Protein backbone atom coordinates (compact mmCIF):
# COMPACT_ATOMS: atom_id res chain seq x y z
CA UNK A 1 0.00 0.00 0.00
CA UNK A 2 1.42 3.40 -0.98
CA UNK A 3 2.25 6.04 1.63
CA UNK A 4 -0.35 8.44 0.17
CA UNK A 5 -3.09 5.81 0.49
CA UNK A 6 -2.06 5.02 4.08
CA UNK A 7 -2.21 8.71 5.00
CA UNK A 8 -5.63 9.03 3.38
CA UNK A 9 -6.98 6.02 5.28
CA UNK A 10 -5.51 7.32 8.55
CA UNK A 11 -7.22 10.69 8.08
CA UNK A 12 -10.54 9.03 7.19
CA UNK A 13 -10.30 6.75 10.24
CA UNK A 14 -9.69 9.81 12.44
CA UNK A 15 -12.63 11.73 10.98
CA UNK A 16 -14.96 8.74 10.52
CA UNK A 17 -13.79 5.92 12.82
CA UNK A 18 -14.95 2.47 11.66
CA UNK A 19 -18.00 1.26 13.58
CA UNK A 20 -19.55 -2.13 14.21
CA UNK A 21 -22.62 -2.36 11.96
CA UNK A 22 -24.59 -3.98 14.77
CA UNK A 23 -23.80 -2.18 18.05
CA UNK A 24 -22.03 0.86 16.50
CA UNK A 25 -19.00 0.67 18.77
CA UNK A 26 -15.59 1.56 17.37
CA UNK A 27 -13.68 -1.28 15.71
CA UNK A 28 -10.11 -1.39 14.46
CA UNK A 29 -10.85 -2.46 10.89
CA UNK A 30 -14.01 -1.60 8.99
CA UNK A 31 -13.59 -4.67 6.77
CA UNK A 32 -14.49 -6.77 9.84
CA UNK A 33 -17.89 -5.00 10.03
CA UNK A 34 -18.60 -6.45 13.50
CA UNK A 35 -16.88 -6.05 16.84
CA UNK A 36 -15.67 -9.20 18.58
CA UNK A 37 -18.64 -9.24 20.96
CA UNK A 38 -21.21 -9.03 18.16
CA UNK A 39 -19.38 -11.60 16.06
CA UNK A 40 -19.48 -14.02 18.99
CA UNK A 41 -23.29 -13.67 19.06
CA UNK A 42 -23.75 -15.11 15.55
CA UNK A 43 -25.67 -18.38 15.75
CA UNK A 44 -24.36 -20.74 13.09
CA UNK A 45 -26.28 -23.81 12.01
CA UNK A 46 -24.55 -27.17 12.33
CA UNK A 47 -26.25 -28.94 9.43
CA UNK A 48 -28.62 -28.75 6.48
CA UNK A 49 -32.40 -28.79 6.89
CA UNK A 50 -35.66 -29.71 5.27
CA UNK A 51 -37.04 -26.29 4.25
CA UNK A 52 -40.55 -27.29 5.33
CA UNK A 53 -40.33 -29.26 8.60
CA UNK A 54 -36.80 -28.31 9.64
CA UNK A 55 -35.61 -31.90 10.03
CA UNK A 56 -31.85 -32.33 9.84
CA UNK A 57 -30.28 -33.64 6.65
CA UNK A 58 -27.86 -36.55 6.81
CA UNK A 59 -25.24 -36.81 4.06
CA UNK A 60 -27.12 -34.25 1.95
CA UNK A 61 -30.26 -36.40 2.02
CA UNK A 62 -33.60 -35.98 3.77
CA UNK A 63 -35.37 -38.76 5.63
CA UNK A 64 -38.64 -36.83 5.92
CA UNK A 65 -41.41 -36.94 3.34
CA UNK A 66 -42.03 -33.26 2.73
CA UNK A 67 -40.93 -33.50 -0.92
CA UNK A 68 -39.93 -29.87 -1.24
CA UNK A 69 -37.42 -30.72 -3.94
CA UNK A 70 -34.40 -29.12 -2.31
CA UNK A 71 -32.36 -29.02 0.88
CA UNK A 72 -31.88 -25.78 2.80
CA UNK A 73 -28.34 -24.92 3.89
CA UNK A 74 -28.50 -21.80 6.10
CA UNK A 75 -25.25 -20.47 7.53
CA UNK A 76 -26.82 -18.47 10.37
CA UNK A 77 -30.04 -17.59 12.07
CA UNK A 78 -31.78 -14.41 10.92
CA UNK A 79 -31.26 -12.33 14.04
CA UNK A 80 -28.94 -9.71 15.51
CA UNK A 81 -26.15 -9.22 14.41
CA UNK A 82 -26.86 -10.75 10.98
CA UNK A 83 -29.89 -8.54 10.31
CA UNK A 84 -27.99 -5.20 10.26
CA UNK A 85 -25.32 -6.74 8.01
CA UNK A 86 -27.92 -7.79 5.43
CA UNK A 87 -29.73 -4.47 5.75
CA UNK A 88 -26.47 -2.56 5.17
CA UNK A 89 -25.79 -4.58 2.03
CA UNK A 90 -29.27 -4.47 0.50
CA UNK A 91 -30.60 -1.08 1.50
CA UNK A 92 -27.57 1.05 2.44
CA UNK A 93 -25.68 -0.36 -0.58
CA UNK A 94 -22.52 -1.19 1.37
CA UNK A 95 -21.54 -3.58 -1.38
CA UNK A 96 -18.35 -4.93 0.20
CA UNK A 97 -20.35 -6.45 3.07
CA UNK A 98 -21.01 -9.36 0.69
CA UNK A 99 -17.41 -10.52 1.21
CA UNK A 100 -17.98 -10.85 4.95
CA UNK A 101 -21.30 -12.64 4.42
CA UNK A 102 -19.67 -15.00 1.93
CA UNK A 103 -17.00 -15.78 4.53
CA UNK A 104 -19.78 -16.78 6.96
CA UNK A 105 -21.08 -19.29 4.40
CA UNK A 106 -17.58 -20.65 3.81
CA UNK A 107 -17.09 -21.07 7.56
CA UNK A 108 -20.45 -22.85 7.74
CA UNK A 109 -19.39 -25.25 4.97
CA UNK A 110 -16.26 -26.05 6.96
CA UNK A 111 -18.28 -26.45 10.15
CA UNK A 112 -20.60 -29.05 8.61
CA UNK A 113 -17.81 -30.64 6.55
CA UNK A 114 -19.54 -29.94 3.23
CA UNK A 115 -17.64 -29.75 -0.06
CA UNK A 116 -19.48 -28.14 -3.00
CA UNK A 117 -17.10 -29.58 -5.59
CA UNK A 118 -19.72 -31.64 -7.44
CA UNK A 119 -22.10 -28.71 -7.89
CA UNK A 120 -22.55 -25.76 -10.18
CA UNK A 121 -23.53 -22.51 -8.52
CA UNK A 122 -26.35 -20.16 -9.44
CA UNK A 123 -28.35 -17.53 -7.57
CA UNK A 124 -31.75 -15.93 -7.16
CA UNK A 125 -31.84 -13.12 -9.75
CA UNK A 126 -33.19 -9.62 -9.29
CA UNK A 127 -35.59 -8.00 -11.70
CA UNK A 128 -33.62 -5.81 -14.12
CA UNK A 129 -35.25 -2.60 -12.85
CA UNK A 130 -34.48 -3.46 -9.22
CA UNK A 131 -30.89 -4.37 -10.05
CA UNK A 132 -30.52 -1.12 -11.99
CA UNK A 133 -31.80 0.82 -8.98
CA UNK A 134 -29.55 -0.95 -6.45
CA UNK A 135 -26.59 -1.31 -8.77
CA UNK A 136 -25.96 -4.97 -7.96
CA UNK A 137 -27.60 -8.24 -6.99
CA UNK A 138 -26.42 -9.26 -3.53
CA UNK A 139 -27.06 -12.97 -4.16
CA UNK A 140 -25.00 -12.86 -7.34
CA UNK A 141 -22.10 -11.19 -5.52
CA UNK A 142 -22.13 -13.86 -2.82
CA UNK A 143 -22.41 -16.65 -5.41
CA UNK A 144 -19.39 -15.36 -7.32
CA UNK A 145 -17.30 -15.11 -4.15
CA UNK A 146 -18.23 -18.68 -3.18
CA UNK A 147 -17.52 -19.88 -6.71
CA UNK A 148 -14.11 -18.22 -6.72
CA UNK A 149 -13.22 -19.73 -3.35
CA UNK A 150 -13.97 -23.28 -4.52
CA UNK A 151 -13.03 -22.81 -8.21
CA UNK A 152 -16.60 -23.59 -9.28
CA UNK A 153 -18.54 -22.34 -12.26
CA UNK A 154 -21.19 -19.73 -11.47
CA UNK A 155 -23.99 -19.90 -14.04
CA UNK A 156 -26.78 -17.38 -14.51
CA UNK A 157 -29.66 -19.82 -15.01
CA UNK A 158 -32.79 -17.93 -14.00
CA UNK A 159 -34.43 -14.71 -15.14
CA UNK A 160 -36.76 -12.71 -12.88
CA UNK A 161 -39.98 -12.13 -14.80
CA UNK A 162 -41.87 -9.90 -12.37
CA UNK A 163 -40.84 -6.80 -10.48
CA UNK A 164 -43.01 -7.93 -7.61
CA UNK A 165 -43.22 -6.59 -4.09
CA UNK A 166 -40.27 -7.57 -1.87
CA UNK A 167 -41.10 -10.68 0.14
CA UNK A 168 -39.80 -9.04 3.33
CA UNK A 169 -42.70 -6.57 3.19
CA UNK A 170 -45.35 -9.31 3.04
CA UNK A 171 -46.26 -10.89 6.37
CA UNK A 172 -48.92 -13.39 5.26
CA UNK A 173 -47.24 -16.68 4.15
CA UNK A 174 -49.96 -17.43 1.59
CA UNK A 175 -49.56 -13.99 0.05
CA UNK A 176 -45.81 -14.61 -0.17
CA UNK A 177 -46.48 -17.77 -2.14
CA UNK A 178 -48.77 -15.91 -4.53
CA UNK A 179 -46.27 -13.06 -4.82
CA UNK A 180 -43.49 -15.49 -5.81
CA UNK A 181 -45.62 -17.52 -8.23
CA UNK A 182 -44.36 -17.50 -11.85
CA UNK A 183 -41.55 -15.13 -10.86
CA UNK A 184 -38.82 -16.96 -12.79
CA UNK A 185 -38.00 -18.51 -16.12
CA UNK A 186 -35.02 -20.52 -17.35
CA UNK A 187 -32.67 -18.72 -19.72
CA UNK A 188 -32.43 -19.98 -23.28
CA UNK A 189 -29.71 -22.48 -24.21
CA UNK A 190 -29.20 -23.50 -20.54
CA UNK A 191 -28.92 -27.24 -19.99
CA UNK A 192 -29.14 -28.31 -16.33
CA UNK A 193 -30.29 -31.88 -16.85
CA UNK A 194 -28.77 -34.21 -14.22
CA UNK A 195 -26.75 -31.31 -12.75
CA UNK A 196 -26.25 -30.84 -9.01
CA UNK A 197 -26.99 -27.20 -8.27
CA UNK A 198 -26.30 -24.84 -5.39
CA UNK A 199 -28.62 -21.84 -5.54
CA UNK A 200 -27.62 -18.82 -3.45
CA UNK A 201 -29.92 -16.32 -1.79
CA UNK A 202 -29.43 -13.93 1.11
CA UNK A 203 -32.35 -14.92 3.37
CA UNK A 204 -34.94 -17.69 3.58
CA UNK A 205 -38.11 -16.71 5.41
CA UNK A 206 -41.17 -18.74 4.38
CA UNK A 207 -39.12 -20.27 1.55
CA UNK A 208 -41.65 -19.21 -1.11
CA UNK A 209 -39.04 -17.68 -3.43
CA UNK A 210 -36.66 -20.62 -3.17
CA UNK A 211 -39.47 -23.11 -3.63
CA UNK A 212 -40.62 -21.38 -6.80
CA UNK A 213 -37.08 -21.23 -8.19
CA UNK A 214 -36.09 -24.78 -7.28
CA UNK A 215 -39.33 -26.22 -8.63
CA UNK A 216 -38.46 -24.68 -12.00
CA UNK A 217 -34.91 -26.07 -11.84
CA UNK A 218 -36.32 -29.53 -11.11
CA UNK A 219 -38.77 -29.22 -13.99
CA UNK A 220 -35.81 -28.66 -16.32
CA UNK A 221 -34.01 -31.75 -15.05
CA UNK A 222 -31.79 -30.63 -12.17
CA UNK A 223 -30.68 -33.60 -10.08
CA UNK A 224 -29.87 -32.43 -6.55
CA UNK A 225 -30.51 -28.87 -5.36
CA UNK A 226 -29.12 -27.23 -2.23
CA UNK A 227 -30.35 -23.74 -1.40
CA UNK A 228 -27.54 -21.94 0.43
CA UNK A 229 -28.52 -18.79 2.31
CA UNK A 230 -26.74 -16.46 4.68
CA UNK A 231 -29.63 -16.58 7.13
CA UNK A 232 -32.77 -18.54 7.89
CA UNK A 233 -35.69 -16.66 9.43
CA UNK A 234 -37.99 -19.66 9.79
CA UNK A 235 -38.24 -21.17 13.28
Amino acid sequence: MGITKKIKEFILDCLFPPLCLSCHKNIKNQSNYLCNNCFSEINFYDGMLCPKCGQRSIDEKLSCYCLEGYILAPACRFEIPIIPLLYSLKYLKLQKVHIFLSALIIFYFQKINFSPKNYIITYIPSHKSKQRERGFNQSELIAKTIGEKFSLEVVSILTKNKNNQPQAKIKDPQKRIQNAKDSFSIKKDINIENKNIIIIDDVSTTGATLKEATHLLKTFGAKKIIAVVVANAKR
Side-chain angles (χ1 to χ4, degrees), residues 1-42:
M1 184 185 295
I3 294 177
T4 302
K5 189 173 182 180
K6 286 183 178 179
I7 293 172
K8 180 182 177 182
E9 290 190 356
F10 174 76
I11 292 172
L12 287 173
D13 284 349
C14 289
L15 294 174
F16 307 101
L19 303 177
C20 171
L21 292 182
S22 184
C23 70
H24 307 298
K25 291 181 180 178
N26 288 353
I27 55 178
K28 291 182 179 180
N29 188 341
Q30 186 60 69
S31 63
N32 291 334
Y33 296 108
L34 295 177
C35 67
N36 290 337
N37 286 339
C38 287
F39 185 84
S40 68
E41 291 177 359
I42 297 175

Coordinates of all heavy atoms in Angstrom, one line a residue, residues 1-42:
M1 N 0.8 -1.2 0.0 CA 0.0 0.0 0.0 C 0.9 1.2 0.0 O 1.8 1.4 0.8 CB -0.9 0.0 1.2 CG -1.9 1.2 1.3 SD -2.9 1.2 2.8 CE -3.8 -0.3 2.7
G2 N 0.6 2.2 -0.9 CA 1.4 3.4 -1.0 C 1.2 4.3 0.2 O 0.2 4.2 0.9
I3 N 2.3 5.1 0.5 CA 2.2 6.0 1.6 C 1.1 7.0 1.5 O 0.4 7.2 2.5 CB 3.6 6.8 1.7 CG1 4.7 5.9 2.0 CG2 3.5 7.9 2.8 CD1 6.1 6.5 2.0
T4 N 0.8 7.5 0.3 CA -0.4 8.4 0.2 C -1.7 7.8 0.6 O -2.5 8.4 1.3 CB -0.4 8.9 -1.3 OG1 0.8 9.5 -1.6 CG2 -1.6 9.9 -1.5
K5 N -1.9 6.5 0.2 CA -3.1 5.8 0.5 C -3.2 5.6 2.0 O -4.3 5.7 2.6 CB -3.2 4.5 -0.3 CG -4.5 3.8 -0.1 CD -4.6 2.6 -1.1 CE -5.9 1.9 -0.9 NZ -6.0 0.7 -1.8
K6 N -2.1 5.2 2.6 CA -2.1 5.0 4.1 C -2.4 6.3 4.8 O -3.2 6.3 5.8 CB -0.7 4.5 4.5 CG -0.4 3.1 4.2 CD 1.0 2.7 4.7 CE 1.3 1.2 4.4 NZ 2.6 0.8 5.0
I7 N -1.9 7.4 4.4 CA -2.2 8.7 5.0 C -3.7 9.0 4.8 O -4.4 9.5 5.8 CB -1.3 9.8 4.4 CG1 0.1 9.6 4.8 CG2 -1.8 11.2 4.9 CD1 1.1 10.6 4.1
K8 N -4.2 8.8 3.6 CA -5.6 9.0 3.4 C -6.5 8.2 4.3 O -7.5 8.7 4.9 CB -5.9 8.7 1.9 CG -7.4 9.0 1.5 CD -7.6 8.6 0.1 CE -9.1 8.8 -0.3 NZ -9.4 8.4 -1.7
E9 N -6.2 6.9 4.4 CA -7.0 6.0 5.3 C -6.9 6.4 6.7 O -7.9 6.3 7.5 CB -6.6 4.6 5.1 CG -6.9 4.0 3.7 CD -6.7 2.5 3.6 OE1 -6.2 1.9 4.6 OE2 -7.1 2.0 2.6
F10 N -5.7 6.9 7.2 CA -5.5 7.3 8.5 C -6.4 8.5 8.8 O -7.1 8.6 9.9 CB -4.0 7.7 8.8 CG -3.8 8.3 10.1 CD1 -3.8 7.5 11.3 CD2 -3.6 9.6 10.3 CE1 -3.5 8.0 12.5 CE2 -3.3 10.2 11.5 CZ -3.3 9.4 12.7
I11 N -6.4 9.5 7.9 CA -7.2 10.7 8.1 C -8.7 10.3 8.1 O -9.5 10.8 9.0 CB -6.9 11.7 6.9 CG1 -5.5 12.3 7.1 CG2 -8.0 12.9 7.0 CD1 -5.1 13.1 5.9
L12 N -9.1 9.4 7.2 CA -10.5 9.0 7.2 C -10.9 8.3 8.5 O -12.0 8.5 9.0 CB -10.8 8.1 6.0 CG -10.8 8.8 4.6 CD1 -11.0 7.8 3.5 CD2 -12.0 9.8 4.5
D13 N -10.0 7.5 9.0 CA -10.3 6.8 10.2 C -10.4 7.7 11.4 O -11.2 7.5 12.4 CB -9.2 5.7 10.5 CG -9.4 4.5 9.7 OD1 -10.4 4.3 9.0 OD2 -8.5 3.6 9.6
C14 N -9.6 8.8 11.4 CA -9.7 9.8 12.4 C -11.0 10.6 12.4 O -11.6 10.9 13.4 CB -8.5 10.8 12.3 SG -6.9 10.0 12.8
L15 N -11.4 10.9 11.1 CA -12.6 11.7 11.0 C -13.9 10.9 11.1 O -14.9 11.3 11.7 CB -12.6 12.4 9.6 CG -11.5 13.5 9.4 CD1 -11.6 14.0 7.9 CD2 -11.8 14.7 10.3
F16 N -13.8 9.7 10.5 CA -15.0 8.7 10.5 C -14.5 7.4 11.0 O -14.3 6.5 10.2 CB -15.6 8.6 9.1 CG -15.9 9.9 8.5 CD1 -15.0 10.5 7.5 CD2 -17.0 10.6 8.9 CE1 -15.4 11.7 6.9 CE2 -17.4 11.9 8.3 CZ -16.5 12.4 7.3
P17 N -14.3 7.2 12.3 CA -13.8 5.9 12.8 C -14.7 4.8 12.5 O -15.9 4.9 12.5 CB -13.8 6.1 14.3 CG -14.7 7.3 14.6 CD -14.6 8.1 13.4
P18 N -14.1 3.6 12.0 CA -15.0 2.5 11.7 C -15.8 2.0 12.8 O -15.3 1.9 14.0 CB -13.9 1.4 11.2 CG -12.6 1.8 11.8 CD -12.7 3.3 11.9
L19 N -17.0 1.7 12.5 CA -18.0 1.3 13.6 C -18.5 -0.1 13.3 O -18.7 -0.5 12.1 CB -19.2 2.2 13.7 CG -18.8 3.7 13.9 CD1 -20.1 4.5 13.9 CD2 -18.1 3.9 15.3
C20 N -18.8 -0.9 14.3 CA -19.6 -2.1 14.2 C -20.9 -1.9 13.6 O -21.7 -1.0 14.1 CB -19.7 -2.8 15.6 SG -20.7 -4.2 15.6
L21 N -21.3 -2.6 12.6 CA -22.6 -2.4 12.0 C -23.8 -2.8 12.8 O -24.9 -2.4 12.6 CB -22.7 -3.1 10.6 CG -21.8 -2.6 9.5 CD1 -22.0 -3.4 8.2 CD2 -22.0 -1.1 9.2
S22 N -23.5 -3.5 13.9 CA -24.6 -4.0 14.8 C -24.8 -3.1 16.0 O -25.8 -2.5 16.2 CB -24.4 -5.4 15.2 OG -25.4 -5.9 16.0
C23 N -23.7 -3.0 16.8 CA -23.8 -2.2 18.0 C -23.2 -0.8 17.9 O -23.4 0.0 18.8 CB -23.1 -2.9 19.2 SG -21.3 -2.9 19.0
H24 N -22.6 -0.5 16.8 CA -22.0 0.9 16.5 C -20.9 1.3 17.4 O -20.6 2.5 17.5 CB -23.1 1.9 16.5 CG -24.3 1.6 15.7 ND1 -24.3 1.4 14.3 CD2 -25.6 1.3 16.1 CE1 -25.5 1.1 13.9 NE2 -26.3 1.0 14.9
K25 N -20.2 0.3 18.0 CA -19.0 0.7 18.8 C -17.8 0.7 17.8 O -17.9 0.2 16.7 CB -18.7 -0.4 19.8 CG -19.7 -0.4 21.0 CD -19.4 -1.5 22.0 CE -20.4 -1.5 23.1 NZ -20.1 -2.6 24.1
N26 N -16.8 1.5 18.2 CA -15.6 1.6 17.4 C -14.9 0.2 17.2 O -14.9 -0.6 18.1 CB -14.6 2.5 18.0 CG -15.0 4.0 17.9 OD1 -16.0 4.3 17.3 ND2 -14.3 4.8 18.5
I27 N -14.5 -0.1 16.0 CA -13.7 -1.3 15.7 C -12.4 -0.9 15.0 O -12.3 0.2 14.4 CB -14.5 -2.3 14.9 CG1 -15.0 -1.7 13.6 CG2 -15.6 -2.9 15.6 CD1 -15.7 -2.6 12.6
K28 N -11.4 -1.7 15.0 CA -10.1 -1.4 14.5 C -10.1 -1.4 12.9 O -9.4 -0.6 12.3 CB -9.0 -2.4 15.0 CG -8.7 -2.2 16.4 CD -7.6 -3.2 16.9 CE -7.3 -3.0 18.3 NZ -6.2 -3.9 18.8
N29 N -10.9 -2.3 12.3 CA -10.8 -2.5 10.9 C -12.3 -2.6 10.4 O -13.0 -3.5 10.7 CB -10.1 -3.7 10.5 CG -9.8 -3.9 9.1 OD1 -10.5 -3.2 8.2 ND2 -8.8 -4.7 8.7
Q30 N -12.7 -1.6 9.5 CA -14.0 -1.6 9.0 C -14.3 -2.8 8.2 O -15.5 -3.2 8.0 CB -14.3 -0.3 8.2 CG -15.7 -0.2 7.7 CD -16.7 -0.1 8.8 OE1 -16.7 0.9 9.6 NE2 -17.5 -1.1 9.0
S31 N -13.3 -3.5 7.6 CA -13.6 -4.7 6.8 C -14.1 -5.8 7.6 O -14.6 -6.8 7.1 CB -12.3 -5.1 6.0 OG -11.3 -5.4 6.9
N32 N -13.9 -5.7 9.0 CA -14.5 -6.8 9.8 C -16.0 -6.6 10.1 O -16.7 -7.6 10.4 CB -13.8 -6.7 11.2 CG -12.3 -7.2 11.1 OD1 -12.0 -8.0 10.2 ND2 -11.5 -6.7 12.0
Y33 N -16.5 -5.4 10.0 CA -17.9 -5.0 10.0 C -18.5 -5.2 11.4 O -19.5 -4.6 11.7 CB -18.7 -5.7 8.9 CG -18.3 -5.3 7.6 CD1 -17.6 -6.1 6.7 CD2 -18.5 -4.0 7.1 CE1 -17.1 -5.7 5.5 CE2 -18.1 -3.6 5.9 CZ -17.4 -4.4 5.1 OH -17.0 -4.0 3.8
L34 N -18.0 -6.2 12.2 CA -18.6 -6.4 13.5 C -17.5 -6.4 14.5 O -16.4 -6.8 14.3 CB -19.3 -7.8 13.6 CG -20.5 -8.1 12.7 CD1 -21.0 -9.5 12.9 CD2 -21.6 -7.1 13.1
C35 N -17.8 -6.0 15.7 CA -16.9 -6.1 16.8 C -16.8 -7.5 17.3 O -17.6 -8.3 16.9 CB -17.3 -5.1 18.0 SG -18.8 -5.6 18.8
N36 N -15.8 -7.8 18.1 CA -15.7 -9.2 18.6 C -16.9 -9.7 19.3 O -17.3 -10.9 19.2 CB -14.4 -9.3 19.4 CG -13.1 -9.2 18.6 OD1 -13.1 -9.4 17.4 ND2 -12.1 -8.8 19.3
N37 N -17.5 -8.8 20.2 CA -18.6 -9.2 21.0 C -19.8 -9.6 20.1 O -20.5 -10.6 20.3 CB -19.0 -8.1 21.9 CG -18.1 -8.0 23.1 OD1 -17.4 -9.0 23.4 ND2 -18.1 -6.9 23.8
C38 N -20.1 -8.8 19.1 CA -21.2 -9.0 18.2 C -20.9 -10.3 17.3 O -21.9 -11.1 17.1 CB -21.5 -7.8 17.3 SG -22.3 -6.4 18.2
F39 N -19.7 -10.4 16.9 CA -19.4 -11.6 16.1 C -19.6 -12.9 16.9 O -20.1 -13.9 16.3 CB -17.9 -11.6 15.6 CG -17.6 -12.7 14.7 CD1 -17.8 -12.6 13.3 CD2 -17.0 -13.8 15.2 CE1 -17.5 -13.7 12.5 CE2 -16.6 -14.9 14.3 CZ -16.9 -14.8 13.0
S40 N -19.3 -12.8 18.1 CA -19.5 -14.0 19.0 C -21.0 -14.4 19.2 O -21.3 -15.5 19.6 CB -18.8 -13.8 20.4 OG -19.5 -12.8 21.1
E41 N -21.9 -13.4 18.9 CA -23.3 -13.7 19.1 C -24.0 -14.3 17.8 O -25.1 -14.6 17.8 CB -24.0 -12.4 19.4 CG -23.6 -11.8 20.8 CD -24.2 -10.5 21.1 OE1 -25.0 -10.0 20.2 OE2 -24.0 -10.0 22.2
I42 N -23.2 -14.5 16.7 CA -23.7 -15.1 15.5 C -24.1 -16.6 15.9 O -23.2 -17.3 16.4 CB -22.8 -15.0 14.4 CG1 -22.5 -13.6 14.0 CG2 -23.3 -15.8 13.2 CD1 -21.5 -13.4 12.9

